Structures are given as structure tokens and as C-alpha cells.
């Protein structure tokens, strides 16, 4: 029904992240292309997102000025300047930051972890380890730690699940997101 690919690379003093999701849902297609550039400390510099759900599409971007604690948020023709906390993170950078904390064992196992990401407004995020389990997709199976990721912002509360392999690099292997018409489960490569 679709595909999701998450990439991370180091280029000079920057970390570049990208996530693409293509889903063929029963009533309409959904496609998301997200990219983020951050410092080595994983403080966001730029964030871009192009989303399409059926006939509806939109683009949004954030350009961060970490020294001034400001960000310029653009969605369509609307542009706003907003204040951001020190070392502000966009959604993709926050997920990568959490993964890195897991890899360096800076997050106690079995304890909820909280954070904040910025996307035109602050969103509070909770990462909660649900249970280690075997992840099965098609003919493949992996051992993985399942996390429930919940976030609250101006639009209310949302959540999704992600499975992370308990290896040293803490590789994400699957994600499950509920859409209004269907639940989308994807293997991450």
C-alpha cells in the first residue's frame, strides 16, 4: 500500500535528514516529503515539508536562527516570525535526536521521555516505550522496541507508533500511523 524511507547523513558540520512517505489509501493517495538540516548538536537550521492527501496539497517550511532564538515559518503564502527555545528542533530532527539518545543509552529504558518540537508553534512530545516485541512485515521479522509517540499542539493530540531495533545504532524498522480512513504501517529502510 505504500513506502516510507528515512535517511540521515553527515555533510560537513551539518546533519541532513529526509523522510518520504507514499501511501495508496483506499479513498485517496497520501504523499509526504520532509527534509531537515541541523547542526551536529541536532539544533534545527532548516525544515521543509511537502504534503499531499488526495486533492489537497500544501508546503511548509521553517528557517531557524538559533542565535536569535527565532524561526521564520512559511505555509503557503502565510509567513510568520516566531520565537523558539534554545536549540529548537523541528519534528524530524527531534525524532533523530531521540534515536541518538537511545543509541547512547541516555534514555532510561521503560521510562517516558519528553521533548518539544517546533512547527510554527511548540508541540510537546512524549516518547513512551510500550514493549519489546517481534515486528512482522510480510516475510520479514525483527526484534524491536515499540514506542508510542504522542504530541500535543494547537490542533489537539495525535500519536503514532514506531519500532526501533535494539541494536547499537537503534535503527527504526517500522512505523504505524492512523489516518482518518485507514491505519498506515510501513517498513523503514
Amino acid at each position: 500500500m505504500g513506502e516510507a524511507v528515512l535517511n540521515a547523513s553527515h555533510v560537513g558540520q551539518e546533519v541532513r535528514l529526509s523522510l518520504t512517505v507514499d501511501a495508496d489509501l483506499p479513498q485517496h493517495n497520501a504523499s509526504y516529503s520532509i527534509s531537515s538540516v541541523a547542526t551536529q548538536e541536532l539544533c534545527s537550521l532548516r525544515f521543509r515539508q511537502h504534503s499531499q492527501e488526495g486533492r489537497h496539497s500544501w508546503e511548509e517550511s521553517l528557517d531557524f536562527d538559533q542565535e536569535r532564538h527565532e524561526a521564520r515559518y512559511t505555509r503557503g503564502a502565510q509567513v510568520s516570525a516566531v520565537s523558539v527555545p534554545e536549540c529548537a528542533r523541528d519534528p524530524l530532527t527531534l525524532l533523530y535526536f531521540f534515536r541518538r539518545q537511545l543509541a547512547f543509552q541516555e534514555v532510561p529504558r521503560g521510562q517516558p521521555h519528553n521533548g518539544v518540537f517546533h512547527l510554527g508553534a511548540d508541540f510537546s512530545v512524549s516518547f513512551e516505550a510500550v514493549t519489546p516485541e517481534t515486528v512482522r512485515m510480510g516475510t520479514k521479522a525483527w526484534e524491536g522496541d515499540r514506542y508510542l509517540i504522542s504530541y500535543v499542539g494547537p490542533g489537539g493530540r495525535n500519536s503514532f507508533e514506531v519500532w526501533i531495533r535494539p541494536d547499537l545504532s537503534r535503527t527504526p524498522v517500522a512505523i504505524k500511523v492512523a489516518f482518518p480512513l485507514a491505519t498506515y504501517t510501513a517498513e523503514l529502510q
Side-chain angles (χ1 to χ4, degrees):
M1 292 197 46
E3 181 176 89
V5 178
L6 175 65
N7 290 307
S9 62
H10 293 264
V11 178
Q13 295 298 309
E14 296 178 341
V15 176
R16 296 187 182 198
L17 307 166
S18 67
L19 173 66
T20 56
V21 177
D22 290 305
D24 296 323
L25 300 174
Q27 299 294 321
H28 65 269
N29 294 338
S31 176
Y32 307 94
S33 177
I34 303 168
S35 65
S36 182
V37 177
T39 65
Q40 291 290 329
E41 295 79 26
L42 295 177
C43 303
S44 293
L45 299 172
R46 285 180 299 287
F47 174 82
R48 305 284 183 266
Q49 176 173 308
H50 176 78
S51 304
Q52 184 168 351
E53 294 178 358
R55 290 182 252 157
H56 302 287
S57 68
W58 66 94
E59 290 191 23
E60 54 194 333
S61 65
L62 276 164
D63 292 293
F64 291 85
D65 184 335
Q66 293 288 353
E67 290 181 15
R68 290 183 158 157
H69 304 290
E70 295 177 350
R72 192 173 119 213
Y73 176 68
T74 305
R75 181 168 176 153
Q78 297 178 338
V79 178
S80 59
V82 293
S83 297
V84 295
E86 185 175 337
C87 193
R89 295 185 175 97
D90 62 78
L92 191 54
T93 301
L94 180 65
L95 285 174
Y96 192 74
F97 175 74
F98 178 68
R99 176 187 169 205
R100 190 159 82 174
Q101 285 186 306
L102 287 173
F104 290 120
Q105 299 178 353
E106 295 173 1
V107 175
R109 192 174 183 97
Q111 301 217 354
H113 180 74
N114 297 311
V116 173
F117 72 81
H118 193 82
L119 188 60
D122 288 334
F123 289 75
S124 59
V125 182
S126 173
F127 301 86
E128 183 179 352
V130 179
T131 182
E133 60 184 44
T134 301
V135 181
R136 294 189 198 314
M137 296 215 156
T139 60
K140 298 180 182 177
W142 306 270
E143 291 304 313
D145 292 327
R146 187 173 113 204
Y147 286 87
L148 176 62
I149 301 173
S150 303
Y151 56 97
V152 179
R157 181 178 197 75
N158 291 297
S159 64
F160 61 95
E161 295 173 278
V162 65
W163 286 263
I164 299 175
R165 194 176 296 198
D167 57 10
L168 292 177
S169 65
R170 302 300 288 173
T171 307
V173 293
I175 188 168
K176 185 177 184 179
V177 181
F179 289 98
L181 297 174
T183 299
Y184 179 71
T185 303
E187 172 189 343
L188 300 175
Q189 301 176 2

